[in-house]
Amino acid sequence: MNKLKTGVFLAIIGLLLTLTVFHVSTILADETTETNIDLKETPSSTSTPEEVSIEQLLNQPQTEKHQFQAEINQLLGILINSLYSNKEIFLRELISNASDALNKIRFMSLTDKTALDTGANLEIRIWADQKRGLLKIRDTGVGMTKQDLLKNLGTIANSGTKAFIEKLQKDAANQFDASLIGQFGVGFYSAYLVADRVIVTTKHNDDKQLIWTSTADNTFSIIEDPNGDTLKRGTEITLILKDDAKEFADANKLKELIKKYSAFIHFPIYLHEVRTVTEEVPVEETTTEEKPTEEKKEETVEEEKKDEEVEVEKKEETKEEKPKTKTIEKQVEEWNIINENKPLWLRSASNITKEEYIQFYKALTNSLEDPLFWELFSAEGQIDFKSLLYIPSKAPSNLFDVTQKTNNIKLYVKRVFITDNIADDLLLPRYLNFIKGLVDSEDLPLNVSREMLQHSKLLSLIKKKLLGKVIQMLGELADKDIEIRKNKKEENKDEEKKEEEENKFATLYKEFGKNIKLGVIEDSKHRDKLAAMLRFPTTKTEELISLDEYIERMKPKQEVIYFLAGTDLKELKNSPLLEELVKRDLEVLLMVDPIDEYMTGQLTEYKKKKLQNIAKEDLKFGDENEEDQKKREEEMNKEYEPLNTFIQSVLKDKISKSVVGKRISSSPCVLVASSFGVSANMARILKAQALGSDAAAMEWMLKMKVMEINVNHPIISSLHQRIKNDSNDSKAKEIVQILYDTAALRSGYDIDEKKDFADRIVRLISSDLGTSTIVETQPEETQTEVVQPEEVKSAEAPVENADSHDEL
C-alpha cells in the first residue's frame, strides 16, 4: 500500500514538473526567439522573457552553466568601459557580426549546395520595443553549434570569423573573397554597453537550436531550446536594455545609427517600424437591439435631422447618395529596408553614370547641391584601399571655423563605417578640409576594437597616398585650366565645351583659393605643386594667371617675380609704388587676400625665381648694370645728403632713414618697408587682429620704414634748395611733415597723428584762401567790441606760418 501511495505521489510530481517545463518553454519560445513569427511580417506578438522566466528556465536540470575563461570581470570591464568610448558602437559591431555570419553561409553554399536548404534569404532584421526596453537583431547566417558557443562566446578575444579566414587561407583550393568583419568574441561583448542581459538564440545546420545567456558576470548558460527548431538557421540576439540606454529601442534612433555605420553592408538590413495612418471607414448604423438612454435618443434624433438636411443638399447637388464615413487613426507595422544605397566605389568607374555619382554625393554628405568634380581611384602597394573623393561646388560659411569638424573623409573598413574624425591625425590636412568622400580599406587590422584603428600605422600610409592623390587631382585641374585659356583665342575651338571645362577650376579657385594658399604656408613638402595652382590678377590684366604664365611673360633680363599686396585691386593699380615698374613695362602680381602676405612669407621662390615685394626697399629692375646703378645711387645720395639728413631729423620717430628712390617717377616721395620690416598691408593686418603682436614689437617694426624721395620732382628740388640755404627752416619742417603724411596714405600706411595731419591741411587751405584758421567766439554783450592789436597779431601769426606751404 505504501509503495502504491509512493508511486502515485511521484507520478503527480512528475506531471507537475512536465507541465512547468512546458509552460516555461512556451514562454521562452514566444518571447525570446520569435519562433511563431515570420520575418517578413510584423512581430507584433513577440516578447522577450522576463527575468523571472529566464531564471526559472536556467534552474532546470538540463541547463548547462559554464565559467568564462580568462579573468572575465577585469577583461569585460576593460572591453566595456575603456575600448568603447561611445555606446552606440554596439549596434555597428552586432550588425557587422551578423554580416560575417551571412558571408560564411554564402561561402559554404558554394561547395555545399544543401547549406541554404533551410532558407535562401540572406538578410538582417532589427526589431525593438521601447516600452519594455528590448532590442532584437536577427540574421539568417550560418548560426552556431554548441561548440561554437563555448569557443566564440565563452572565450574573450577568440573569433570564429578569424578561425574561418585562417581555414580558408590554409585551403589553397578555396579562392573565396573572405572579407569578413571583426572579431566576434570582442565586438559581441560591446552589447553590454547598453544591456543588462544578453540572450543569444542560434541554429546551425549541424546542431539543434540553442540558447546562450549571460549578464556579463563570471558565468554563462547554455540550454537546448525547448521549443525546437524555430529559427531554421541563423542567430537572434536579444538585448534587455539598461535604464539609461532605452533610447536604443527607438526606431528613429536605430535608423540613424544604421545609416551612419552600416549603410553599405552587402546584405539588406530591415528595421521594424510602426507608423500611424488615417483612413475613412463607413459609420456603423445603430442596431434594433440597442436601447439608448433618453439623452442618446435626443442626440440621435438631432443627428438624424442634420444628416437628412445634409443628404437633401447632397441630392440636389450630385443626385447621388453616398455612405456615411468617419476618419480613424490606424497603426501600421512594416519592415523597411534601411541600407538602400549600394557601395558605389566598389564598381568600375566606367560603369558609373554622372547621375549616380551626384546622387551618391548627396546621400553621403546630405548636400542639396551637385558636386563640382569627383574622382574614384584604387591604391595598391603596402596597403590596398578604394576611395571616392568629391570637390563641392560651393564653400560652406564655416569653412575656416576651428570649432567645427574639419575632416569630411569617412573611413570604412570592408564597407563598415569606422570614423570621420581620427583624433588629431586626420586623413587629410586642414587646408584640404573642403574635400569630401570616403576611404574603404580591406587591409586595416581589426584586432581588439575598431576604435583602435586610429592608432594603426597602416592608417598613416593611407593618409600619405590619399594626400598625394588629392594634390595630383587638383594639379590636373589647374593644368587643364591653363591649357584651355591658352587655346581660348583660337577660333576653331568649341567655345561652349571649353567654357564649361574652364569653369571647374575657376569655380574651385573662387571658392577654395584660400585653402590652396593655406596649403602653401603649411605643407612644405607639396609647396611647389600647390604654388603652381595659385592665380592672381596683374597690372596688365584682370584675368587670373598662374605663376608659370607670369614667368613665360617676364622680360628677358627680369630675374624676380614682382608682387604687391593690398586691400583693393583698384587701389593697388593706382599705387605710386608701381610708377617706375609700369613705365618699364614690367608686370606685377596684385594680391588682395589677407592670407597672401603670410603666404609670400613662406613662398620666397618659385622655379628659381625669387618673389620680390615692391613695397620693400632694395628694388631691382634687372635691366641695368648693377655696378653702374650702385655708383649712380651713391652719387645721388651724396648730392642730396643734406635733404635726407634733414628729413630724417624731422621724422626721426617715424622712419629709419631717407634715401633717393628709383621706383617713383611722378610722385614726390613714397614710404616702403625695410628688408626686415613689415609692409603697409601686413601692418594693417596685424593691427586688425584681436590677439595680435606685442605692442612694443609692433611699434618697432612700424618704425622700420624708409622714405624714398624723387629727386626729379619739383617739390623735392625746391625743398632741397631751401634746406641748402637754411637747414633750420621751420617752413621746410612743415613741408616734410605733409610730404610724409601724404606718402603714408598713398603707400598704404596708417597715420598715427591724425589731428596734427588735419591741422596741417587746414592751415594749408587757409593759406591758399588768405583766411585765418581761428574761429572768433565772443559773448553777445561784447560782439561790438573792437579787437585789440595783440589779438589780431595772435590771430594772424598762423597765417604767416601757413605761407610756408605756397611752394606746394
Side-chain angles (χ1 to χ4, degrees):
M1 189 69 177
N2 290 334
K3 291 182 179 180
L4 179 60
K5 290 181 179 179
T6 303
V8 172
F9 177 77
L10 291 176
I12 293 172
I13 294 298
L15 179 61
L16 290 175
L17 289 174
T18 302
L19 292 174
T20 302
V21 172
F22 177 79
H23 177 68
V24 173
S25 301
T26 303
I27 293 174
L28 183 63
D30 289 341
E31 298 181 349
T32 307
T33 65
E34 289 188 19
T35 55
N36 297 330
I37 302 303
D38 185 353
L39 278 176
K40 295 183 179 180
E41 297 182 0
T42 304
S44 57
S45 61
T46 59
S47 60
T48 297
E50 302 293 339
E51 291 294 324
V52 176
S53 300
I54 296 173
E55 295 300 331
Q56 289 176 353
L57 177 64
L58 297 180
N59 289 331
Q60 297 305 313
Q62 62 270 33
T63 302
E64 298 181 11
K65 293 186 178 180
H66 301 269
Q67 291 286 332
F68 279 111
Q69 295 182 14
E71 297 178 358
I72 188 62
N73 288 330
Q74 296 180 4
L75 195 52
L76 276 180
I78 294 173
L79 290 171
I80 296 173
N81 300 320
S82 300
L83 292 183
Y84 297 100
S85 58
N86 192 357
K87 288 184 177 182
E88 64 187 30
I89 296 297
F90 85 94
L91 187 62
R92 181 189 72 185
E93 297 292 326
L94 296 182
I95 291 178
S96 297
N97 292 335
S99 177
D100 289 346
L102 292 168
N103 267 322
K104 286 181 182 180
I105 195 64
R106 181 167 62 89
F107 294 145
M108 289 179 178
S109 67
L110 298 177
T111 54
D112 183 5
K113 302 300 181 182
T114 63
L116 296 179
D117 288 349
T118 50
N121 291 334
L122 302 180
E123 60 189 15
I124 302 170
R125 291 184 179 259
I126 300 174
W127 175 84
D129 186 338
Q130 194 168 17
K131 292 182 179 179
R132 291 182 294 169
L134 304 178
L135 176 61
K136 296 187 179 185
I137 302 170
R138 179 173 176 178
D139 65 74
T140 57
V142 67
M144 286 180 284
T145 64
K146 182 177 179 181
Q147 187 62 30
D148 292 333
L149 288 174
L150 290 171
K151 186 176 181 181
N152 297 335
L153 301 190
T155 304
I156 303 299
N158 190 4
S159 172
T161 296
K162 181 179 179 181
F164 183 74
I165 295 177
E166 290 175 352
K167 181 180 178 181
L168 289 180
Q169 290 174 342
K170 290 179 181 179
D171 189 356
N174 292 324
Q175 300 297 329
F176 300 145
D177 179 17
S179 56
L180 306 181
I181 301 172
Q183 297 208 0
F184 192 87
V186 173
F188 167 77
Y189 279 96
S190 64
Y192 286 100
L193 290 168
V194 297
D196 290 321
R197 178 183 288 276
V198 178
I199 305 165
V200 179
T201 306
T202 184
K203 174 65 176 70
H204 192 279
N205 286 338
D206 299 334
D207 204 343
K208 299 178 181 180
Q209 186 163 307
L210 302 171
I211 298 175
W212 179 101
T213 183
S214 176
T215 56
D217 53 9
N218 288 326
T219 64
F220 62 91
S221 300
I222 299 177
I223 185 174
E224 181 181 335
D225 192 341
N227 205 45
D229 180 7
T230 57
L231 291 180
K232 304 301 181 184
R233 187 192 68 246
T235 301
E236 180 182 88
I237 300 177
T238 301
L239 306 182
I240 301 177
L241 298 173
K242 298 177 180 179
D243 291 336
D244 61 350
K246 295 293 179 65
E247 61 175 321
F248 297 110
D250 178 64
N252 292 327
K253 180 68 174 179
L254 292 172
K255 181 187 294 186
E256 175 189 343
L257 295 180
I258 294 170
K259 288 185 175 181
K260 179 178 180 180
Y261 291 105
S262 307
F264 302 109
I265 289 291
H266 179 70
F267 303 97
I269 302 174
Y270 293 92
L271 177 65
H272 175 257
E273 295 183 277
V274 180
R275 60 187 178 90
T276 302
V277 298
T278 58
E279 63 178 16
E280 297 288 331
V281 297
V283 178
E284 297 181 0
E285 299 291 341
T286 304
T287 61
T288 56
E289 297 178 359
E290 293 180 346
K291 296 181 180 181
T293 60
E294 293 298 322
E295 294 179 358
K296 287 184 177 181
K297 287 181 180 180
E298 292 177 359
E299 293 176 358
T300 302
V301 172
E302 292 178 359
E303 289 177 358
E304 289 177 352
K305 289 181 179 180
K306 292 180 178 179
D307 291 340
E308 289 176 357
E309 294 176 358
V310 172
E311 287 177 0
V312 171
E313 294 176 359
K314 288 183 177 180
K315 285 180 180 179
E316 292 177 354
E317 295 175 0
T318 64
K319 296 183 179 181
E320 292 182 2
E321 186 175 348
K322 295 181 179 180
K324 299 177 182 179
T325 61
K326 62 179 180 180
T327 302
I328 64 170
E329 291 185 349
K330 181 181 178 181
Q331 286 192 334
V332 177
E333 301 183 18
E334 56 191 6
W335 290 100
N336 296 320
I337 187 169
I338 305 302
N339 58 335
E340 291 182 323
N341 293 322
K342 299 304 177 184
L344 193 69
W345 63 91
L346 298 182
R347 294 163 53 186
S348 173
S350 59
N351 297 329
I352 306 175
T353 64
K354 177 181 177 181
E355 290 71 22
E356 287 178 315
Y357 276 117
I358 295 175
Q359 182 181 1
F360 185 81
Y361 169 77
K362 292 181 177 180
L364 183 70
T365 62
N366 295 322
S367 175
L368 299 177
E369 298 179 353
D370 293 350
L372 178 67
F373 187 78
W374 54 81
E375 182 84 11
L376 174 62
F377 71 97
S378 300
E380 298 178 353
Q382 293 177 294
I383 185 170
D384 297 344
F385 66 89
K386 293 181 181 292
S387 180
L388 178 56
L389 303 177
Y390 288 94
I391 298 177
S393 57
K394 190 174 183 180
S397 58
N398 60 345
L399 183 62
F400 294 102
D401 187 352
V402 295
T403 63
Q404 298 294 322
K405 182 183 69 173
T406 58
N407 190 28
N408 294 312
I409 303 297
K410 301 181 185 296
L411 177 63
Y412 287 80
V413 175
K414 300 165 187 175
R415 299 177 301 281
V416 176
F417 174 71
I418 302 301
T419 182
D420 58 359
N421 188 12
I422 309 175
D424 297 328
D425 187 21
L426 304 178
L427 283 173
L428 286 177
R430 68 168 181 166
Y431 71 87
L432 292 176
N433 63 348
F434 63 94
I435 301 291
K436 298 185 178 182
L438 58 85
V439 174
D440 185 11
S441 174
E442 300 282 335
D443 295 339
L444 284 174
L446 289 166
N447 52 345
V448 183
S449 167
R450 289 176 176 85
E451 292 186 334
M452 300 295 289
L453 284 172
Q454 61 190 34
H455 303 297
S456 171
K457 293 182 179 179
L458 294 177
L459 203 61
S460 61
L461 295 176
I462 292 179
K463 177 182 178 181
K464 181 180 179 180
K465 290 190 175 184
L466 195 65
L467 176 57
K469 184 61 181 180
V470 173
I471 298 296
Q472 178 186 345
M473 178 177 67
L474 296 176
E476 289 174 354
L477 287 175
D479 293 342
K480 195 172 185 179
D481 170 63
I482 295 176
E483 181 182 352
I484 291 172
R485 287 190 288 106
K486 282 184 177 180
N487 297 331
K488 190 176 180 180
K489 297 179 181 179
E490 299 181 13
E491 297 179 354
N492 297 329
K493 294 295 180 179
D494 185 348
E495 295 294 338
E496 293 183 1
K497 180 179 179 182
K498 188 166 50 183
E499 185 68 21
E500 180 182 350
E501 293 176 346
E502 182 181 356
N503 281 341
K504 288 185 177 180
F505 188 80
T507 303
L508 185 152
Y509 195 80
K510 178 182 178 182
E511 297 294 331
F512 307 109
K514 290 183 177 66
N515 294 76
I516 296 176
K517 295 173 182 178
L518 182 61
V520 173
I521 297 173
E522 297 182 342
D523 193 346
S524 58
K525 183 177 180 180
H526 299 98
R527 181 167 293 153
D528 289 340
K529 294 181 180 180
L530 292 169
M533 306 175 200
L534 297 173
R535 300 288 187 269
F536 302 102
T538 72
T539 51
K540 293 185 177 181
T541 176
E542 292 188 3
E543 181 185 27
L544 302 183
I545 67 169
S546 66
L547 294 178
D548 291 288
E549 291 175 291
Y550 179 91
I551 292 175
E552 290 179 2
R553 293 152 61 161
M554 288 173 59
K555 296 296 180 180
K557 294 184 179 181
Q558 183 179 342
E559 298 178 352
V560 296
I561 299 173
Y562 298 110
F563 74 90
L564 178 63
T567 57
D568 181 72
L569 189 60
K570 184 178 179 181
E571 180 182 339
L572 289 179
K573 286 186 175 183
N574 294 325
S575 173
L577 301 172
L578 294 170
E579 291 175 357
E580 189 63 25
L581 289 162
V582 172
K583 185 177 179 180
R584 295 171 181 259
D585 195 30
L586 294 173
E587 191 170 18
V588 181
L589 298 175
L590 303 178
M591 304 179 180
V592 293
D593 276 342
I595 196 174
D596 290 334
E597 283 279 0
Y598 296 97
M599 181 194 66
T600 53
Q602 299 296 326
L603 184 67
T604 58
E605 183 177 308
Y606 180 73
K607 292 189 175 180
K608 298 182 179 180
K609 301 290 184 181
K610 291 187 177 181
L611 272 70
Q612 172 68 57
N613 188 348
I614 67 169
K616 291 191 174 184
E617 64 176 340
D618 297 331
L619 179 65
K620 297 179 181 180
F621 300 113
D623 56 352
E624 301 171 337
N625 185 284
E626 190 171 345
E627 293 183 0
D628 293 342
Q629 178 66 22
K630 184 177 180 181
K631 185 177 180 181
R632 190 180 304 112
E633 288 178 1
E634 290 178 354
E635 292 176 354
M636 295 297 294
N637 281 317
K638 185 176 181 180
E639 180 181 352
Y640 283 84
E641 183 178 0
L643 178 58
N644 286 328
T645 304
F646 180 79
I647 292 175
Q648 193 167 345
S649 64
V650 174
L651 304 174
K652 58 184 178 180
D653 295 332
K654 299 178 180 179
I655 63 173
S656 60
K657 61 182 178 179
S658 174
V659 296
V660 175
K662 57 183 178 179
R663 75 186 73 214
I664 46 179
S665 58
S666 57
S667 299
C669 59
V670 292
L671 288 179
V672 295
S674 65
S675 301
F676 304 100
V678 294
S679 64
N681 188 53
M682 192 63 177
R684 177 187 59 82
I685 294 172
L686 293 175
K687 281 186 175 181
Q689 293 179 354
L691 302 175
S693 304
D694 179 69
M698 186 68 185
E699 183 180 357
W700 177 82
M701 286 188 294
L702 288 176
K703 286 182 179 179
M704 298 293 289
K705 295 191 293 287
V706 177
M707 189 170 185
E708 293 188 359
I709 58 176
N710 180 8
V711 295
N712 297 321
H713 198 280
I715 292 180
I716 300 300
S717 299
S718 300
L719 184 60
H720 181 225
Q721 188 63 38
R722 194 168 191 130
I723 295 301
K724 289 173 67 177
N725 296 335
D726 184 4
S727 60
N728 295 319
D729 192 339
S730 60
K731 293 181 181 180
K733 293 181 180 180
E734 188 80 4
I735 294 172
V736 169
Q737 289 286 356
I738 292 180
L739 285 174
Y740 170 82
D741 291 338
T742 55
L745 285 176
R746 296 199 64 193
S747 301
Y749 286 98
D750 191 16
I751 298 177
D752 296 329
E753 301 171 353
K754 295 180 176 60
K755 182 180 181 301
D756 294 341
F757 170 69
D759 289 343
R760 283 190 286 270
I761 296 299
V762 170
R763 288 197 296 269
L764 181 64
I765 296 173
S766 299
S767 174
D768 186 60
L769 297 177
T771 62
S772 172
T773 60
I774 298 179
V775 178
E776 298 180 1
T777 57
Q778 299 177 348
E780 293 183 358
E781 62 274 13
T782 60
Q783 286 182 357
T784 57
E785 292 182 3
V786 178
V787 180
Q788 298 298 324
E790 290 79 11
E791 296 175 357
V792 174
K793 183 177 181 180
S794 62
E796 293 178 350
V799 177
E800 292 181 0
N801 196 23
D803 289 340
S804 62
H805 304 299
D806 289 343
E807 296 183 6
L808 291 175

